[in-house]
Amino acid sequence: AQFHPSFATLIPGGLLIGAAAGPIWAAKCTYFTGVSARYAALTGQDRQHVLSRFFGVFFMTFNVAGVLGQLISSSILAARSDRLDTDVQPDCGAAFCEQAIEENVNLQRPAASTLNLITTIAIGTCLVATLLLVFLLDPPDRFGSLSPSPSS
């Protein structure tokens, strides 16, 4: 949908991602809960503390990935832009003038090849992450019963 953005590709793509996001996040939470219960039983630690640590590491990694993605996009855009205007301070903030939009080269759309490169990198990292999950994540049945016992 990102390579040829139009109503016919973006709306169904957004609906598909929106419909898949809930079950994926629920599955992640279920997996973390079960694995943390098993880990807590093996190490003798409190289950809630282990679960909090697992979620903390996950969300730290999730947010760092977002920051790195923005840094990659920003560096690609900066490296491929020969028309970057650094003297924009008079037009920023409260003094912003909508008529200056056409004159400001910083607000022009990047080249299609640059946008395609960023999209390709994003899709590539998603595919690598998927392959890492498929081949390196232990299946839940490897740990035996992952359902937490009420006494834990």
Side-chain angles (χ1 to χ4, degrees):
Q2 295 297 327
F3 284 112
H4 305 288
S6 69
F7 185 84
T9 58
L10 291 177
I11 299 301
L15 290 172
L16 181 65
I17 288 174
I24 288 173
W25 280 90
K28 179 231 359 140
C29 293
T30 303
Y31 184 82
F32 278 177
T33 302
V35 171
S36 67
R38 180 71 173 150
Y39 182 80
L42 290 172
T43 60
Q45 298 178 32
D46 182 47
R47 184 172 35 120
Q48 292 299 323
H49 293 154
V50 173
L51 181 61
S52 297
R53 189 177 323 128
F54 280 22
F55 275 110
V57 170
F58 170 78
F59 282 109
M60 179 195 68
T61 306
F62 183 77
N63 288 320
V64 166
V67 170
L68 288 177
Q70 294 298 322
L71 287 173
I72 291 169
S73 297
S74 178
S75 60
I76 290 171
L77 289 171
R80 291 190 161 218
S81 177
D82 56 347
R83 57 179 197 253
L84 191 63
D85 183 12
T86 57
D87 188 34
V88 295
Q89 292 173 344
D91 296 331
C92 291
F96 181 72
C97 177
E98 289 189 30
Q99 285 84 16
I101 290 176
E102 298 299 324
E103 302 167 6
N104 191 342
V105 295
N106 294 340
L107 298 176
Q108 294 176 359
R109 183 176 175 86
S113 62
T114 303
L115 297 176
N116 286 340
L117 175 64
I118 292 171
T119 302
T120 303
I121 290 171
I123 291 172
T125 55
C126 288
L127 290 175
V128 168
T130 302
L131 291 174
L132 286 173
L133 281 175
V134 167
F135 292 112
L136 298 180
L137 186 67
D138 289 329
D141 58 359
R142 179 174 181 258
F143 304 105
S145 175
L146 288 181
S147 59
S149 61
S151 61
S152 294

